[in-house]
């Protein structure tokens, strides 16, 4: 993600303000305008941007500020806090335990990167001593099973799928049952891409979920998604109640604001980000570190410590 | 008390200030509808320039004047500068010589290239053409098998609809430009009318993968290069179009866009109005 551009703009807007002699309403408005423009350009949901502006204005209320309050410091902190709020829902994601079967189900829009990411995640856990495996419950997309099979084979991860069964609910149930019997720690279920406008596809997702009873459902989001992110992620949240998000293709050029908006819209933490097409291109996500990286080491660096 | 009248201007020449409010609410509207900020600003800038000094009719609201101007600006952007009649072009080319008509599909990862290629193939088969699909995504797992399934289904359809379809595949790991070239040669020898070339998804900021497109265009010599862009995408659309447009070397550009996944965005849109390319297809489900 080209966070650098967004970060630079925000940092320079804040430092312009804090370096100017007079810190008044007008200067604050100019800074907010610039920050909001930068966020919108980064695809952050436009309603969230409006809220962020309101919140900062509310926190930095010149009329009610007592004498002796450090305005500059207050403004910096308000900006930082609001940005962290965007990516940090204060919700702990599920942590799998060894020695029992942890079922993880992947959901998301078409082409978001589910199949690629579920192999990456299986490999991630495998490398940490979990016995991990994959179930292909995408019976819709042409070549879906071959894709998962080839990925799994490369990563040396056991997999389950079929070329003949067309009911994804049955495939998912059979696969999970088989691997539970074989005492796998991590059983990851890949599903077809779908979108809220197709009710039947959503109903199918709910049925798969009922069949495999996942300990965690993960929604996969493409970092280039725009303003549709909020509505789609909310719809997935309502139907599938996912507990974590993976943002993919962060090696691309998009700033990722759309995907980030999904976090705020659904109060769900990002657990990993995808950073490339290869098996090892997966990184853990940390909101605080993310924002400090976003804002660079400039004037904001001091604020990152809290 | 007369403040509501302020947005009405009877027979007055418009100034930039008159339009400020209407323009900024229009900007907000476009952004909500997922139009990239860069594009929205560009549209509104031209609209402003064109409206300054414009004499309004009596009791015409500024909002309406601005809205109408934006509407016509967008219509202009979306109207192709050259007409696209694929079927006629293919016929013309086929009567001239033996080389088949070559179409290649490019775009970033997962936008719907392979799916749309199959949809185009279906359309060509309905028109009784002999089509060769070239599997030139030699990287992504399952890419070849995906096309194999599509080709098999299309073959069944072609028995009903007419036309002929075949898949040209050379597996994984090989150079896409070479396979594309061989596919075209094979198609020429075997009397195919059209070659549809699928390519691997690539990030438009990946120098290495983008620069390989130049060799690809040189080897495959496509008559048409279409970029697939998904309606879901945000601001990145502009850079996607710009970088793909510039990737094929001097004198070769994109010939058009295919906008996929229009069924997933409700009432939002995504356009990249910065290019003089045409939007040749939009995709609704089915
Ligand atoms: N550059 C990049 N490409 C990625 C990343 N993750 C996935 N991709 C690519 O995105 C495309 C789509 O990925 P898939 O895993 O097939 O997506 P999916 O969500 O399973 O797609 P459907 O099953 O069709 O809904 C493929 O070309 C992947 O190689 C990433 O982190 N970076
Ligand atoms: N809803 C919807 N889904 C679509 C549309 N076009 C493609 N898809 C889906 O998007 C996903 C990706 O499609 P592909 O055709 O594999 O995309 P691609 O660009 O070839 O992907 P890579 O080769 O991995 O880069 C699949 O699940 C398709 O079924 C569309 O118009 N609407
Ligand atoms: Mg998949
Ligand atoms: Mg493809």
């Amino acid at each position: 993600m080209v966070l650098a551009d967004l970060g630079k703009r925000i940092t320079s807007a804040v430092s312009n303000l804090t370096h100017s002699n007079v810190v008044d309403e007008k200067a604050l408005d100019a800074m907010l305008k610039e920050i909001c423009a930068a966020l919108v350009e980064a695809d952050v949901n436009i309603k969230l941007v409006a809220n962020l502006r309101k919140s900062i204005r509310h926190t930095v209320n010149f009329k009610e500020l007592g004498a002796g309050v450090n305005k500059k410091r207050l403004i910096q902190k308000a900006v930082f806090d609001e940005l962290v709020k965007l990516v940090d829902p204060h919700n702990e994601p599920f942590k799998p335990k060894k020695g029992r079967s942890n079922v993880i189900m992947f959901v998301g829009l078409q082409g978001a990167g589910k199949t690629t990411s579920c192999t990456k995640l299986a490999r991630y856990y495998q490398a940490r001593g979990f016995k991990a495996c994959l179930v292909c419950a995408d019976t819709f997309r042409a070549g879906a099973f071959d894709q998962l099979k080839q990925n799994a084979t490369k990563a040396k991860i056991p997999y389950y799928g079929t070329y003949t069964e067309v009911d994804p609910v049955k495939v998912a149930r059979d696969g999970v049952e088989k691997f539970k019997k074989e005492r796998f720690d991590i059983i990851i279920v890949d599903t077809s891409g779908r979108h809220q406008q197709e009710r039947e596809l959503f109903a199918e997702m709910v049925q798969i979920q009922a069949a495999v009873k996942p300990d965690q459902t993960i929604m996969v989001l493409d970092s280039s998604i725009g303003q549709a992110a909020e509505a789609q992620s909310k719809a997935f949240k309502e139907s599938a109640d996912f507990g974590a998000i993976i943002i993919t293709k962060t090696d691309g050029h998009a700033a990722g604001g759309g995907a980030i908006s999904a976090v705020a819209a659904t109060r769900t933490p990002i657990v990993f980000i995808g950073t490339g097409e290869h098996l090892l291109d997966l990184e853990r996500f940390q909101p605080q570190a993310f924002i400090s990286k976003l804002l660079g080491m400039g004037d904001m660096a001091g604020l990152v410590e809290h | 008390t007369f403040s509501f009248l302020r947005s009405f201007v009877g027979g007055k020449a418009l100034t930039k200030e008159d339009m400020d409010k209407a323009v900024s609410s229009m900007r907000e509207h476009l952004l909500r509808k997922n139009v990239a900020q860069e594009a929205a600003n560009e549209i509104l800038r031209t609209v402003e320039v064109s409206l300054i000094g414009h004499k309004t009719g009596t009791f015409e609201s500024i909002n309406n004047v601005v809205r109408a101007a934006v509407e016509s600006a967008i219509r202009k952007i979306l109207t192709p500068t050259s007409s696209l009649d694929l079927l006629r072009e293919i016929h013309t080319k086929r009567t001239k010589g033996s080389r088949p008509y070559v179409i290649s599909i490019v775009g970033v990862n997962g936008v719907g290239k392979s799916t749309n290629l199959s949809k185009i193939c279906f359309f060509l088969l309905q028109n009784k053409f002999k089509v060769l699909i070239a599997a030139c995504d030699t990287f992504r797992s399952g890419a070849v098998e995906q096309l194999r399934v599509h080709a098999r289904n299309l073959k069944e359809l072609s028995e009903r609809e007419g036309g002929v379809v075949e898949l040209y595949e050379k597996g994984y790991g090989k150079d896409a430009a070479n396979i594309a070239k061989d596919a075209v040669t094979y198609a020429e020898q075997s009397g195919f009318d059209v070659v549809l070339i699928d390519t691997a998804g690539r990030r438009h900021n990946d120098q290495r993968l983008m620069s390989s497109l130049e060799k690809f265009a040189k080897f495959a010599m496509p008559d048409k290069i279409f970029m697939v862009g998904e309606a879901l995408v945000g601001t990145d659309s502009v850079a996607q179009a710009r970088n793909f447009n510039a990737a094929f070397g001097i004198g070769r550009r994109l010939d058009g866009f295919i906008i996929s996944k229009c069924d997933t965005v409700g009432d939002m849109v995504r356009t990249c109005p910065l290019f003089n390319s045409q939007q040749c297809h939009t995709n609704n489900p089915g």
Side-chain angles (χ1 to χ4, degrees), chain B:
Chain B
T1 46
F2 290 114
S3 69
F4 81 96
L5 275 180
R6 248 190 271 144
S7 64
F8 291 93
V9 279
K12 170 179 181 287
L14 282 177
T15 65
K16 190 169 176 307
E17 288 66 44
D18 291 334
M19 290 182 281
D20 270 357
K21 224 174 143 193
V23 166
S24 77
S25 88
M26 190 45 93
R27 176 171 296 118
E28 172 112 342
H29 175 75
L30 291 176
L31 294 176
R32 256 181 221 285
K33 294 285 179 183
N34 198 38
V35 175
Q37 185 157 262
E38 189 178 348
N41 287 344
E42 179 61 24
I43 291 169
L44 290 168
R45 201 188 52 78
T46 31
V47 163
E48 263 181 344
V49 169
S50 74
L51 285 181
I52 286 175
H54 168 89
K55 276 255 168 61
T56 53
T58 25
F59 285 105
E60 195 177 2
S61 95
I62 298 184
N63 280 334
N64 286 346
V65 176
V66 170
R67 175 180 287 273
V70 167
E71 240 180 74
S72 87
I74 293 176
R75 186 169 304 119
K76 213 164 110 196
I77 288 161
L78 292 180
T79 309
T81 43
S82 58
S83 74
L84 177 65
D85 187 343
L86 262 188
L87 298 178
R88 161 126 23 105
E89 279 189 28
I90 297 169
H91 275 300
T92 314
K93 173 139 192 182
R94 294 299 292 147
T95 51
K96 271 196 208 140
S98 60
R99 198 182 137 86
Y101 193 89
V102 179
I103 300 175
S104 53
I105 310 283
V106 300
V108 299
N109 304 94
V111 286
K113 292 177 293 301
S114 311
T115 307
N116 278 288
L117 177 137
S118 308
K119 288 183 183 177
I120 293 174
C121 184
F122 179 53
F123 169 70
L124 295 173
L125 290 175
Q126 283 179 316
N127 286 281
K128 314 280 182 277
F129 285 115
K130 198 173 166 189
V131 186
L132 184 69
I133 297 176
C136 294
D137 179 351
T138 60
F139 173 75
R140 208 210 71 216
S141 302
V144 176
E145 288 78 6
Q146 182 181 11
L147 286 181
R148 216 181 273 159
V149 171
H150 282 305
R152 195 178 60 221
N153 295 340
L154 286 163
K155 209 170 256 169
E156 260 169 47
L157 283 167
S158 70
E159 274 154 25
R160 229 180 35 226
E161 306 271 346
V164 175
V165 58
E166 194 179 310
L167 180 69
Y168 189 90
E169 52 161 305
K170 285 284 172 273
Y172 294 92
K174 302 200 184 64
D175 182 52
N178 284 323
I179 299 180
K181 192 177 166 192
D182 294 347
V184 176
T185 310
Y186 169 77
E188 183 164 1
Q189 287 161 356
S190 320
F192 280 90
D193 299 308
V194 184
V195 184
L196 292 174
I197 307 178
D198 190 30
T199 64
R202 67 200 75 216
R203 290 180 290 116
H204 60 87
N205 58 326
D206 183 323
Q207 290 291 332
R208 189 178 60 83
L209 291 179
M210 288 304 280
S211 65
S212 70
L213 284 176
E214 193 170 341
K215 177 181 173 195
F216 175 80
K218 207 175 280 161
F219 275 42
M221 288 196 294
D223 295 271
K224 287 278 180 282
I225 306 174
F226 294 137
M227 186 190 109
V228 179
E230 56 173 29
L232 284 165
V233 72
T235 314
D236 199 38
S237 59
V238 179
Q240 283 180 16
R242 187 176 282 141
N243 291 356
F244 273 99
N245 202 39
F248 302 98
I250 300 157
R252 191 67 181 95
R253 302 170 135 242
L254 288 173
D255 297 295
F257 296 105
I258 297 170
I259 310 298
S260 66
K261 309 189 190 173
C262 295
D263 50 324
T264 65
V265 293
D267 60 355
M268 292 185 190
V269 293
R270 163 60 59 204
T271 55
C272 345
L274 297 177
F275 297 93
N276 259 348
S277 255
Q278 49 205 325
Q279 190 183 330
C280 62
H281 270 250
T282 45
N283 265 287
N284 286 312

Side-chain angles (χ1 to χ4, degrees), chain A residues 109 111-116 118 136 138 141 144 147-148 190-193:
Chain A
L109 290 160
K114 294 175 293 300
T115 307
T116 310
C118 68
C136 174
D138 181 354
R141 164 152 168 203
Q147 183 185 6
L148 182 131
D190 185 24
T191 64
S192 314

Side-chain angles (χ1 to χ4, degrees), chain A residues 99-227:
Chain A
R100 54 161 288 210
S101 52
N102 303 270
V103 178
I104 303 175
M105 173 171 158
F106 273 55
V107 298
L109 290 160
Q110 292 88 351
K114 294 175 293 300
T115 307
T116 310
S117 305
C118 68
T119 323
K120 288 178 181 177
L121 189 66
R123 199 228 56 109
Y124 176 93
Y125 283 124
Q126 190 184 48
R128 279 152 189 80
F130 289 84
K131 211 176 145 198
C133 62
L134 289 160
V135 176
C136 174
D138 181 354
T139 55
F140 170 75
R141 164 152 168 203
F145 180 39
D146 285 297
Q147 183 185 6
L148 182 131
K149 194 169 152 182
Q150 288 170 18
N151 280 343
T153 307
K154 260 181 232 164
K156 299 199 174 59
I157 291 164
Y159 58 87
Y160 178 86
T162 149
Y163 289 111
T164 46
E165 177 58 57
V166 292
D167 179 9
V169 181
K170 179 166 176 10
V171 183
R173 185 188 295 118
D174 290 354
V176 169
E177 254 169 37
K178 167 181 144 67
F179 285 129
K180 271 189 172 170
K181 265 192 215 126
E182 295 171 14
R183 306 206 161 273
F184 274 84
D185 300 317
I186 303 275
I187 304 171
I188 297 180
V189 182
D190 185 24
T191 64
S192 314
R194 63 193 82 235
H195 54 292
Q196 68 166 139
Q197 285 81 359
E198 287 275 349
R199 287 213 178 157
E200 277 144 50
L201 293 182
F202 263 49
E204 177 194 280
M205 169 172 71
V206 173
Q207 286 164 18
I208 297 174
Q209 204 170 35
V212 304
K213 298 186 191 60
D215 298 281
Q216 171 164 60
T217 302
I218 297 181
M219 173 155 190
V220 177
L221 273 158
D222 184 324
S223 63
S224 75
I225 191 169
Q227 297 286 329

